[in-house]
Amino acid sequence: MANAQRKVTPSFYEVVFKGSPKLTRGFLAGLVMGSEEEATIFFNLDDGIFHEGLGDRVADFISVLPANCHVIMDNKTCARLKKLKRRVERSVGLEIKSFKRIRSGSMHFKFETFGARYYNEITGLVKELPRGLKLSNFEHEVVKDPAAEGIEGYTPVHDFEARGTGDIAGRIDLLIATRREFDKHPLIHVGEIQLTLA
């Protein structure tokens, strides 16, 4: 009988760079191309991942101070970067401030719709989360008013109303992909992803 191969759950790190976000992006693109290995990299500002306070966000936005660029990357890419840390700081001009393992991420979402079709689309997305993510605190309500049926869409009265909220937590790469998918839907509002670091 052949030995069953055990599937390894990927691990991820948040790496904080001090320096220009543009330089950070360029450097990481070169690192990945130069290594000729697969890499998973997410930039916190691109994917709605919470980091630090308002002061750092303003500095990132207006580039008055050297920005902190927060990046999420897979374990192998992070290990490669750790080995190169001193060389990167000397020759590229980026300071690598920290490497922190990510245990998980979480996000809040809410929605409101006046059409049964959209409600079914949204609840379908919520029910089809990938393995590795968990839905909690999912509360939703549907209100039907047969007396309002046939009334035009731009009135305060609707024959169907649905709204809901919930939280999703789990593996960070899956959560980022889910947030992107939810964010495409015009009736779902997604909150920032909060990281749980080791």
Side-chain angles (χ1 to χ4, degrees):
M1 188 166 120
N3 289 339
Q5 285 189 348
R6 204 172 134 214
K7 195 168 182 180
V8 178
T9 302
S11 58
F12 295 89
Y13 284 75
E14 184 188 50
V15 182
V16 180
F17 294 85
K18 185 173 184 178
S20 156
K22 197 171 185 178
L23 179 61
T24 304
R25 287 173 190 271
F27 165 70
L28 289 174
L31 178 71
V32 171
M33 284 195 296
S35 71
E36 296 184 354
E37 290 187 24
E38 290 293 319
T40 302
I41 296 175
F42 304 103
F43 291 86
N44 288 26
L45 287 174
D46 292 348
D47 282 299
I49 302 163
F50 175 80
H51 74 276
E52 298 185 355
L54 181 61
D56 286 311
R57 290 176 182 229
V58 171
D60 286 348
F61 184 71
I62 61 174
S63 301
V64 170
L65 302 169
N68 285 340
C69 190
H70 294 240
V71 180
I72 290 172
M73 62 183 65
D74 63 273
N75 183 43
K76 282 177 79 174
T77 306
C78 184
R80 197 176 310 125
L81 189 59
K82 280 181 180 178
K83 288 179 185 173
L84 296 170
K85 182 179 185 295
R86 286 187 182 165
R87 282 175 58 193
V88 169
E89 292 179 346
R90 276 197 314 266
S91 59
V92 179
L94 284 173
E95 179 188 343
I96 302 173
K97 294 177 73 175
S98 65
F99 300 90
K100 293 180 183 172
R101 191 170 67 80
I102 299 169
R103 289 188 180 168
S104 66
S106 62
M107 74 168 187
H108 183 74
F109 69 91
K110 63 183 179 181
F111 66 88
E112 183 175 20
T113 179
F114 300 107
R117 174 183 148 218
Y118 302 115
Y119 172 71
N120 292 333
E121 283 178 8
I122 294 166
T123 54
L125 285 172
V126 169
K127 290 175 184 172
E128 293 170 11
L129 294 176
R131 288 182 72 150
L133 293 182
K134 183 180 175 186
L135 175 67
S136 62
N137 306 318
F138 185 44
E139 296 178 4
H140 53 113
E141 63 173 343
V142 174
V143 177
K144 295 180 182 178
D145 182 1
E149 200 166 338
I151 294 176
E152 293 300 317
Y154 295 101
T155 67
V157 180
H158 301 278
D159 66 314
F160 182 96
E161 292 181 48
R163 60 185 55 83
T165 62
D167 298 296
I168 301 173
R171 207 173 93 190
I172 190 61
D173 60 327
L174 301 176
L175 186 62
I176 290 169
T178 298
R179 187 182 189 278
R180 289 176 178 176
E181 192 65 29
F182 278 30
D183 201 33
K184 286 181 200 169
H185 199 291
L187 301 176
I188 303 177
H189 173 76
V190 286
E192 287 186 316
I193 292 176
Q194 305 284 333
L195 298 178
T196 301
L197 302 172

Coordinates of all heavy atoms in Angstrom, one line a residue, residues 7 41 67 87 108 129 131 152 164 187:
K7 N -0.8 16.5 3.1 CA -0.8 17.8 2.5 C -0.4 18.8 3.6 O -0.9 18.9 4.7 CB -2.2 18.2 2.0 CG -2.3 19.3 1.1 CD -3.6 19.5 0.5 CE -3.6 20.6 -0.5 NZ -4.8 20.8 -1.2
I41 N 2.8 36.8 -2.9 CA 3.1 38.1 -2.2 C 1.8 38.9 -2.3 O 1.2 39.1 -3.4 CB 4.3 38.8 -2.9 CG1 5.5 37.9 -2.7 CG2 4.4 40.2 -2.3 CD1 6.8 38.5 -3.4
A67 N 8.1 55.6 4.1 CA 6.9 54.8 4.4 C 7.3 53.4 4.9 O 8.3 52.9 4.6 CB 6.0 54.7 3.2
R87 N 22.3 42.2 3.0 CA 22.7 42.7 1.6 C 21.6 43.6 1.1 O 22.0 44.6 0.4 CB 22.9 41.5 0.7 CG 24.2 40.8 0.9 CD 24.3 39.5 0.1 NE 24.1 39.7 -1.3 CZ 23.9 38.8 -2.2 NH1 23.8 37.5 -1.8 NH2 23.8 39.1 -3.5
H108 N -14.8 41.4 8.6 CA -16.3 41.6 8.8 C -16.8 42.0 7.5 O -16.2 42.7 6.7 CB -16.5 42.7 9.9 CG -18.0 42.9 10.2 ND1 -18.7 42.0 10.9 CD2 -18.8 43.9 9.8 CE1 -19.9 42.5 11.0 NE2 -20.0 43.6 10.3
L129 N -17.6 29.1 1.0 CA -16.3 29.5 1.5 C -15.4 28.3 1.3 O -15.8 27.1 1.6 CB -16.3 29.9 2.9 CG -17.0 31.2 3.2 CD1 -17.0 31.5 4.7 CD2 -16.4 32.4 2.5
R131 N -12.4 25.5 2.1 CA -11.9 24.9 3.4 C -10.7 25.7 3.9 O -9.9 26.1 3.1 CB -11.4 23.5 3.1 CG -12.6 22.5 2.9 CD -12.1 21.2 2.7 NE -11.6 20.6 4.0 CZ -11.7 19.4 4.3 NH1 -12.1 18.5 3.5 NH2 -11.2 19.0 5.5
E152 N -42.2 50.9 -8.3 CA -40.9 51.2 -9.0 C -39.8 51.1 -8.0 O -39.9 51.4 -6.8 CB -41.0 52.5 -9.7 CG -41.9 52.6 -10.8 CD -41.6 51.6 -11.9 OE1 -40.4 51.5 -12.3 OE2 -42.5 51.0 -12.5
G164 N -27.7 41.7 6.0 CA -27.0 40.8 6.9 C -25.6 41.2 7.2 O -25.0 42.1 6.5
L187 N -23.1 45.0 -3.8 CA -24.0 45.1 -2.6 C -23.3 44.6 -1.3 O -23.9 44.6 -0.3 CB -25.3 44.4 -2.9 CG -26.1 45.0 -4.1 CD1 -27.3 44.1 -4.3 CD2 -26.4 46.4 -3.9

